[in-house]
């Protein structure tokens, strides 16, 4: 499969939000861009499977989720989801991904907080600073759309990595999974 340029894709958000300095730091055989409506075929779910269960929901369900996430931005409503991917120019396959979603608040003068989620790099591409580049790009997007802070959750084992990305350990995360729904997709 030959590499598909950004202008030939239906992107989740404007590619201009990804900073040029992050693009410049990637190896020349890789490209970073927003998630595209055709990225199911480029292996988006298989890259996410390095994190946790990412069952193949099928192209139609994946596309419906993509369109639902793109729903923001219409009628003056700001976008909420900014998912990006790193693509191999040689294979046109996804080798890394991550996202930031924007939480709008009443606090801090109607401020917004960016929540970074689902940072994943294909096993064969780990150790090439792709995770760092993804975090840098997502932090820039978060700040670029006006967030007063950007936060993320991680395991104890990943604290050192995120500190290298400029993040600091703060507070404590708590979670409660709905019984029987922790891994069930909502369509």
């Amino acid at each position: 499969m030959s590499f598909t340029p950004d202008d030939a894709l239906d992107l989740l958000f404007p590619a201009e939000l990804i900073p040029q300095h992050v693009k410049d730091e990637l190896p020349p055989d890789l490209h970073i861009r927003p998630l595209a409506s055709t990225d199911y075929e480029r292996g988006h779910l298989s890259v996410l499977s390095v994190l946790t269960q990412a069952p193949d929901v099928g192209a139609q369900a994946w596309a419906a989720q993509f369109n639902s996430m793109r729903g923001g931005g219409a009628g003056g409503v700001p976008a909420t989801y900014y998912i990006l991917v790193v693509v191999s120019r040689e294979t046109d396959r996804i080798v890394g991904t991550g996202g930031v979603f924007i939480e709008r608040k009443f606090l801090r003068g109607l401020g917004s907080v960016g929540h970074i989620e689902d940072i994943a790099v294909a096993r064969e591409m780990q150790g090439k600073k792709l995770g760092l580049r993804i975090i840098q790009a997502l932090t820039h997007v978060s700040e670029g759309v006006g967030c007063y802070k950007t936060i993320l959750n991680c395991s104890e084992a990943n604290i050192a990595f995120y500190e290298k990305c400029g993040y600091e350990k703060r507070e404590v995360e708590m979670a409660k999974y709905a019984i029987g729904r922790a891994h069930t997709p909502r369509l």
Side-chain angles (χ1 to χ4, degrees), residues 6 10-19 23 32-35 70 72-73 79 81-84 140-141 145:
D6 291 0
D10 177 26
L11 300 174
L12 186 63
F13 64 91
E16 297 77 32
L17 289 175
I18 299 173
K23 294 177 184 180
I32 191 168
R33 63 161 171 77
L35 187 70
R70 185 173 46 187
Y81 298 98
Y82 297 86
I83 300 170
L84 55 79
H140 182 87
V141 168
V145 300

Side-chain angles (χ1 to χ4, degrees), residues 10-105:
D10 177 26
L11 300 174
L12 186 63
F13 64 91
E16 297 77 32
L17 289 175
I18 299 173
Q20 188 62 45
H21 70 88
V22 171
K23 294 177 184 180
D24 293 342
E25 292 291 326
L26 284 175
D29 61 328
L30 298 176
H31 177 67
I32 191 168
R33 63 161 171 77
L35 187 70
S37 62
T38 51
D39 280 344
Y40 170 83
E41 296 141 19
R42 289 182 183 85
H44 183 238
L45 292 176
S46 67
V47 173
L48 284 171
S49 71
V50 303
L51 295 176
T52 187
Q53 297 177 10
D56 188 345
V57 295
Q60 187 175 7
W62 188 96
Q65 184 79 328
F66 175 90
N67 288 324
S68 173
M69 290 177 148
R70 185 173 46 187
V77 176
T80 299
Y81 298 98
Y82 297 86
I83 300 170
L84 55 79
V85 294
V86 177
V87 180
S88 165
R89 291 180 187 272
E90 182 181 319
T91 64
D92 205 34
R93 301 282 298 168
I94 295 171
V95 297
T97 187
V100 62
F101 73 90
I102 311 305
E103 175 190 10
R104 287 160 186 81
K105 298 181 142 309

Side-chain angles (χ1 to χ4, degrees), residues 53 177-184:
Q53 297 177 10
Y177 289 92
I179 296 172
R181 294 185 51 140
H183 301 291
T184 306

Side-chain angles (χ1 to χ4, degrees), residues 154-167:
C154 71
S155 66
E156 291 283 331
N158 289 330
I159 290 173
F161 167 73
Y162 288 110
E163 286 176 338
K164 288 179 188 174
C165 295
Y167 285 75

